[in-house]
Amino acid sequence: DTAVSQTPKYLVTQMGNDKSIKCEQNLGHDTMYWYKQDSKKFLKIMFSYNNKELIINETVPNRFSPKSPDKAHLNLHINSLELGDSAVYFCASSQEPGGNSPLHFGNGTRLTVT
Amino acid sequence: GEDVEQSLFLSVREGDSSVINCTYTDSSSTYLYWYKQEPGAGLQLLTYIFSNMDMKQDQRLTVLLNKKDKHLSLRIADTQTGDSAIYFCAETSGGYNKLIFGAGTRLAVHP
């Protein structure tokens, strides 16, 4: 039933670990995104994929690597986690890129690095 | 550069109208969006307006767009306690549906 679903909802881990967040959408959309929301609620785009191809890659450390095995999935792997990576990560999807269709967001994954 | 600005807080009495304002910089934005975020939840699309429109009304929501001043507003009529949330304005930028969000306006509705 859920349109954009992310797992896990909460992730608590120690510095230096590697972790993954998974995202799936059942809306039949072609484009998927990862956004990061910091403690002040500021949202910033990280990556975007269209039909499994990377189309947006903002200034994000190489420790972050997105992977899109198919149009319905976009996972985010993070290596060597740092304290500053603590945030809420939102997955989103849209029918197409180009600003003509709205984004649908998942409920977020709250990552806490200790 | 890309920038979206909003006031951070708004407090209104239940039953009054709320007006949340936003200014943006990218004049080529095709669409401008309003999203709502309740505590612990994701962003929910509230409404959006195409850049060649001045106004859009959807039940209790009215969006006004002043393209010349790059100013967008969201009016919520008869504000209820359930409207308490953070409201984000967003512009599209860069061609590839890259949404640039404002910092969000925290709306508090009190009796």
Side-chain angles (χ1 to χ4, degrees):
Chain A
D1 206 26
T2 307
V4 181
S5 59
Q6 304 177 221
T7 53
K9 188 173 171 64
Y10 300 98
L11 185 52
V12 180
T13 188
Q14 291 184 327
M15 284 175 55
N17 285 347
D18 304 338
K19 290 293 178 186
S20 292
I21 307 171
K22 294 187 176 182
C23 179
E24 176 182 4
Q25 53 96 4
N26 62 4
L27 296 166
H29 287 169
D30 288 341
T31 312
M32 296 186 71
Y33 311 79
W34 279 109
Y35 275 81
K36 178 180 179 181
Q37 186 175 45
D38 62 24
S39 58
K40 294 183 179 177
K41 302 297 184 186
F42 186 67
L43 268 161
K44 190 167 172 58
I45 190 168
M46 300 173 70
F47 301 104
S48 177
Y49 273 72
N50 185 54
N51 281 321
K52 302 193 298 175
E53 287 191 24
L54 181 67
I55 57 172
I56 295 175
N57 184 353
E58 292 293 289
T59 308
V60 178
N62 291 338
R63 298 181 294 103
F64 289 79
S65 53
K67 283 189 173 50
S68 182
D70 55 58
K71 277 192 340 179
H73 295 85
L74 180 62
N75 303 322
L76 183 65
H77 188 75
I78 315 170
N79 289 327
S80 303
L81 278 154
E82 299 177 358
L83 292 176
D85 297 332
S86 295
V88 181
Y89 292 84
F90 286 100
C91 177
S93 72
S94 63
Q95 182 60 52
E96 56 189 63
N100 293 329
S101 58
L103 268 62
H104 296 259
F105 283 84
N107 285 330
T109 296
R110 182 175 294 276
L111 172 65
T112 304
V113 183
T114 62
Chain B
E2 309 154 337
D3 197 16
V4 178
E5 293 192 358
Q6 307 176 232
S7 52
L8 294 182
F9 299 101
L10 177 64
S11 179
V12 299
R13 193 183 301 273
E14 193 174 9
D16 288 350
S17 291
S18 307
V19 179
I20 302 172
N21 294 303
C22 168
T23 57
Y24 61 97
T25 55
D26 192 338
S27 56
S28 65
S29 285
T30 313
Y31 285 93
L32 294 135
Y33 296 88
W34 284 104
Y35 282 84
K36 175 184 180 182
Q37 185 179 30
E38 295 179 356
L43 276 76
Q44 171 195 352
L45 176 68
L46 268 184
T47 186
Y48 59 96
I49 188 167
F50 189 50
S51 58
N52 69 353
M53 296 171 65
D54 298 324
M55 185 181 88
K56 179 179 179 181
Q57 187 146 7
D58 184 1
Q59 299 182 329
R60 292 191 298 123
L61 305 178
T62 303
V63 178
L64 294 178
L65 175 60
N66 181 330
K67 206 172 175 185
K68 174 176 165 290
D69 294 337
K70 298 195 187 87
H71 182 267
L72 183 74
S73 68
L74 174 70
R75 178 177 180 270
I76 305 172
D78 186 24
T79 313
Q80 302 298 307
T81 54
D83 294 325
S84 294
I86 302 175
Y87 291 80
F88 291 92
C89 167
E91 65 171 355
T92 54
S93 180
Y96 277 111
N97 205 23
K98 185 169 75 170
L99 280 195
I100 308 298
F101 285 85
T105 300
R106 192 178 295 271
L107 174 65
V109 183
H110 56 88

